């Protein structure tokens, strides 16, 4: 079974009397070690999909298996464990805790898992060094550039050694240079560390680091050939 | 529990981050705490001071016997002692009683010495019977009784003698060595030799320490004829007009037990009395000062309520402001209970800081208040006492106050759905 296995995924939101159908019967399988880029226009359901992949939300209908576990069968406590240990999230808006230093932000997921103080500090320092921020550990988020913040966020996502890294438009708020640094970090995670990376992006160049590109459109996978550039075959899942 | 310290740190950092608002919230709590601690400390100091004075008078081995309606629950007469019947010899015979001294009082017909022109001054005057032991053993109660030079106070065995207040001795025109006639019930009458004249109030050095001292004779009216307690028996028969009895117990006897035994024995004999020990009095004082300070603190407590609402308001604002942060924490693996705990600690901390500052300010306030009270009053020095228990309770209570005020906001924070919180801008 694939690491991530989605079958007939449907997600509806109730907005007053209107039902918003964010995902409409989506099938998707992602294997261990893959880098997958998710593309599609705004509102096509990319974030909604990522939230389900990250066990932050459950589908209205359909099946979502993460690492063989059926999301709908899991209790809240088990979902918390998945979030804490199996997936690491990177958000477009960095989403660091503004009151905490880079070091403490990276330690945060480990605090919730009850990792001891010494071990935590060591791990966080190593992770920050790994994203090239060894000299920024005591800086607060507002003392860091956008690119640096996003690298802290990546370090944080890696804190509990998750198998899956979910990055929702991680370069969306970055200039191209910082964006590239972030992308190469993500690529390294998959290629060197064998992590599964799923990356939402609007940038075709960013998508180039992916093994596979999935296009969303109105909550479904868009199987039409893209109009342009990417000359790779089988880039979307049939 | 290891997480608690981490959460404490997280909460602390969050408070420090919003320094201005946190301080304003803390001020809301601290004003209330200051008022409560200040008033309670003043009450406590009064309590301590009064009890110390009373215990200075009583010592550890003394009790007093009073009419049962005068003291304790059901006391109905306003201050003045009610007369009661007493068998002093029975009281003295009770095991553990070392000395007993009583005071009884009557109005009697008194006749002075015929003057040179043959006139005789006479009239109805208050006659007090005093046990000689009163002067020798119970000076802490009576204050220092002094007679003018040339006279003396009663001694054991004295019968037909009297000590006169200064004023009445002047009016009767008598002095030491003269005799007066006192008539009792029926045709009982005695010629009493005057052995002493009480020093007039101005001359008697008002001993400043005798704030609690009881004035038995030579009081403000100044026209009392004092006679030995036994002499009263001869004039008016067995005592049914006793105002107060003082009893000292033997060492190694429990004063409360002896007092209980005495009370029972005397009441079985037809008296209607209560034996009051220091324990009884200090309990009564404690109850009174307790009620007063609880009442004052209760009023001050209303301002605590306002402080608590302030904490709640700040916490709601904080939760709203940090919705996204809460979403992020949950996305990286925080349990609902973690979020809840962090916010509770945060609001509890604000309460605690308010408690610390408020306790310090409250202690300062009470010291200042007592200083002022001592400046404005004389003859009664209140000792400023800090009750460590009160401070500890206050610190606990203020943390609890903050935490309770934060319960609802923290619960709201913990229940936020992750995805909604993440999407919140
Ligand atoms: N909590 C929500 N309540 C109502 N509608 C929502 C909610 N979240 C997302 N949506 C809707 O679902 C659709 C998909 O949203 P989203 O997954 O965020 O798209 P994308 O990330 O591709 O821009 C949008 O139309 C959005 O308005
Ligand atoms: Mg999105």
């Amino acid at each position: 079974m694939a690491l991530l296995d989605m079958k007939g995924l449907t997600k509806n939101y109730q907005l007053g009397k209107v039902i918003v159908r964010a995902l409409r019967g989506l099938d998707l399988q992602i294997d261990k070690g893959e880098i997958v880029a998710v593309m599609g226009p705004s509102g096509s359901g990319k974030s909604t999909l990522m939230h389900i992949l990250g066990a932050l939300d459950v589908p209205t209908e359909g099946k979502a298996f993460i690492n063989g576990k059926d999301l709908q069968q899991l209790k809240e406590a088990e979902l918390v464990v998945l979030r804490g240990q199996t997936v690491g999230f990177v958000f477009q808006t960095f989403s660091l805790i503004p009151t905490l230093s880079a070091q403490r932000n990276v330690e945060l997921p480990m605090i919730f898992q009850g990792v001891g103080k010494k071990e935590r500090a060591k791990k966080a320092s190593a992770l920050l060094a790994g994203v090239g921020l060894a000299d920024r550990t005591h800086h607060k988020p507002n003392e860091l550039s956008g690119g640096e913040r996003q690298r802290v966020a990546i370090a944080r996502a890696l804190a509990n050694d998750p198998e899956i890294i979910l990055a929702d438009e991680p370069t969306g708020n970055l200039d191209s240079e910082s964006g590239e640094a972030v992308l190469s970090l993500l690529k390294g995670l998959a290629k060197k560390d064998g992590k599964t990376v799923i990356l939402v992006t609007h940038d075709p160049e960013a998508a180039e680091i992916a093994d596979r590109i999935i296009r969303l459109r109105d909550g479904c996978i868009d199987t039409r050939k893209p109009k342009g550039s990417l000359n790779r075959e089988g880039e979307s899942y049939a | 529990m290891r997480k608690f310290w981490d959460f404490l740190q997280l909460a602390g950092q969050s408070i420090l981050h919003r320094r201005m608002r946190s301080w304003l919230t803390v001020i809301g709590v601290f004003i209330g705490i200051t008022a409560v601690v200040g008033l309670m400390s003043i009450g406590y100091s009064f309590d301590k001071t009064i009890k110390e004075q009373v215990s200075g008078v009583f010592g550890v081995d003394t009790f007093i016997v009073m009419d049962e309606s005068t003291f304790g629950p059901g006391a109905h007469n306003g201050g003045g002692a009610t007369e009661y019947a007493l068998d002093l010899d029975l009281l003295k015979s009770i095991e553990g009683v070392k000395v007993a001294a009583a005071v009884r009082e009557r109005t009697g017909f008194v006749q002075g010495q015929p003057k040179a022109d043959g006139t005789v001054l006479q009239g109805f005057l208050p006659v007090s019977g005093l046990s000689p032991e009163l002067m020798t053993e119970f000076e802490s109660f009576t204050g220092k009784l002094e007679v003018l030079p040339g006279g003396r106070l009663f001694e054991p065995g004295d019968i037909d003698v009297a000590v006169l207040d200064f004023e009445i001795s002047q009016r009767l025109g008598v002095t030491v060595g003269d005799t007066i006639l006192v008539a009792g019930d029926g045709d009982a009458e005695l010629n009493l030799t005057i052995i002493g004249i009480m020093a007039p109030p101005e001359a008697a050095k008002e001993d400043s320490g005798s704030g609690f001292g009881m004035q038995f004779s030579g009081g403000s009216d100044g026209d009392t004829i004092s006679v030995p307690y036994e002499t009263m028996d001869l004039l008016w028969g067995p005592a049914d007009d006793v105002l107060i009895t003082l009893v000292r117990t033997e060492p190694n006897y429990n004063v409360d037990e002896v007092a209980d035994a005495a009370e029972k024995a005397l009441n079985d004999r037809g008296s209607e009395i209560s034996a009051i020990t220091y324990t009884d009095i200090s309990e009564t004082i404690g109850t009174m000062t307790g009620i007063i300070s609880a009442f004052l603190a209760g009023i001050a407590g209303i301002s605590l309520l306002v402080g608590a609402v302030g904490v709640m308001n700040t916490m709601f604002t904080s939760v709203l402001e940090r919705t996204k942060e809460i979403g992020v924490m949950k996305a990286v693996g925080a349990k609902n209970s973690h979020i809840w705990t962090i916010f509770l600690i945060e609001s509890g901390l604000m309460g605690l800081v308010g408690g610390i500052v408020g306790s310090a300010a409250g202690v300062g306030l009470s010291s200042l208040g007592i200083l002022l009270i001592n400046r404005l009053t004389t003859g009664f020095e209140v000792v400023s006492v800090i009750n460590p228990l009160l401070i500890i309770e206050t610190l606990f209570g203020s943390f609890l106050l903050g935490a309770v005020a934060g319960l609802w906001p923290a619960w709201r924070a913990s229940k936020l759905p992750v995805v909604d919180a993440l999407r919140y801008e």
Side-chain angles (χ1 to χ4, degrees), chain A residues 13 47-48 51 56-57 80 83-84 91 93 95 97-100 104 108-109 111-114 116-117 120 156, chain B residues 2-3 6-7 9-10 13-14 17-18 324-325 328-336 338 342 418-419 422-423:
Chain A
Y13 291 109
S47 294
T48 305
H51 289 154
L56 301 183
D57 209 351
V80 171
R83 286 172 210 153
F91 303 93
T93 52
S95 306
I97 308 296
T99 52
L100 303 180
R104 298 281 293 163
L108 196 60
I111 290 177
F112 294 129
Q113 296 304 319
K117 226 181 173 71
R120 227 161 57 196
R156 181 180 64 187
Chain B
R2 173 160 66 188
K3 282 183 193 150
D6 293 315
F7 291 166
Q9 216 170 348
L10 288 178
Q13 252 148 338
S14 164
H17 192 69
R18 282 158 263 267
K324 177 122 197 203
E325 222 173 281
V328 171
M329 291 203 273
K330 287 189 170 188
V332 302
K335 290 182 196 165
N336 286 0
H338 293 161
I342 291 171
V418 197
V419 176
L422 278 174
R423 285 189 192 266

Side-chain angles (χ1 to χ4, degrees), chain B residues 35-224:
Chain B
V36 171
V37 170
L39 288 172
M40 301 262 287
S41 292
I42 291 179
Y44 187 75
S45 299
F46 263 93
D47 184 71
K48 267 278 162 107
T49 308
I50 296 172
K51 281 181 183 167
E52 256 161 40
Q53 294 228 348
V54 173
S55 80
V57 170
F58 262 69
V60 290
D61 56 356
T62 306
F63 65 91
I64 63 182
V65 176
M66 294 183 90
D67 178 80
E68 66 182 1
S69 63
T70 309
F71 183 84
H76 51 71
N77 78 328
T82 309
E83 298 177 351
Y84 58 89
L86 176 81
D87 186 338
L88 189 59
D89 290 328
L90 173 70
L91 179 59
K92 281 178 174 167
S93 73
I94 288 166
E95 191 185 350
V97 172
K98 187 176 166 205
V99 201
V103 179
R104 54 184 289 198
E105 193 170 67
R106 281 286 174 132
T107 302
F109 178 80
V110 179
Q111 202 171 35
Q113 292 237 305
K115 291 201 174 158
D117 58 3
T119 57
V120 178
L121 275 167
Q122 60 185 44
F124 285 92
L125 290 172
V127 180
S128 266
L130 310 177
S131 300
E133 293 91 341
L134 211 55
M135 292 90 185
T136 54
E137 299 279 342
F138 296 100
E139 203 174 62
S140 68
F141 283 84
T142 58
K144 206 163 180 66
L145 295 180
E146 280 189 69
V147 288
L148 291 173
R152 64 171 178 88
L153 288 166
F154 304 127
E155 280 162 12
D158 281 343
I159 294 288
D160 2 325
V161 296
V163 173
L164 266 57
D165 280 359
F166 180 75
E167 210 181 301
I168 194 63
S169 74
Q170 297 281 303
R171 280 204 278 143
L172 291 174
V174 292
T175 179
V176 175
D178 294 340
T179 51
I180 52 170
L181 179 91
V182 179
D185 272 350
D187 18 322
E189 58 175 55
L190 287 175
N191 278 309
L192 304 178
T193 309
I194 296 168
I195 56 168
I197 308 289
M198 289 286 184
E202 308 87 52
K205 289 172 247 62
E206 264 305 321
D207 194 348
S208 61
S210 67
F212 190 78
M214 298 173 180
Q215 222 81 57
F216 292 113
S217 62
S220 48
D221 49 357
D223 52 7
T224 301

Side-chain angles (χ1 to χ4, degrees), chain B residues 222-246:
Chain B
D223 52 7
T224 301
I225 315 288
S226 298
V227 302
Y229 185 85
E230 318 272 289
T231 309
M232 295 295 274
D233 284 354
L234 303 176
L235 289 167
W236 282 285
D240 58 354
D241 49 10
V242 175
L243 291 175
I244 191 165
T245 311
L246 305 174

Side-chain angles (χ1 to χ4, degrees), chain A residues 150-182:
Chain A
Q150 200 57 301
R151 283 187 276 156
V152 174
I154 290 173
R156 181 180 64 187
L158 293 170
N160 289 321
D161 269 324
E163 281 185 72
I164 305 160
I165 300 292
L166 299 169
D168 193 349
E169 303 193 36
T171 57
N173 284 12
L174 298 181
D175 60 88
S176 58
E177 206 172 315
S178 322
E180 265 165 42
V182 165

Side-chain angles (χ1 to χ4, degrees), chain A residues 107-155:
Chain A
E107 284 184 26
L108 196 60
M110 295 187 268
I111 290 177
F112 294 129
Q113 296 304 319
V115 178
K117 226 181 173 71
K118 280 219 186 83
E119 194 186 334
R120 227 161 57 196
K122 218 170 107 188
K123 184 90 182 273
S125 306
L127 286 170
L128 283 169
V131 297
L133 293 175
D135 54 346
R136 293 283 191 279
T137 52
H138 295 298
H139 289 235
K140 293 266 174 72
N142 63 1
E143 298 157 353
L144 297 169
S145 74
E148 287 167 335
R149 286 185 218 182
Q150 200 57 301
R151 283 187 276 156
V152 174
I154 290 173

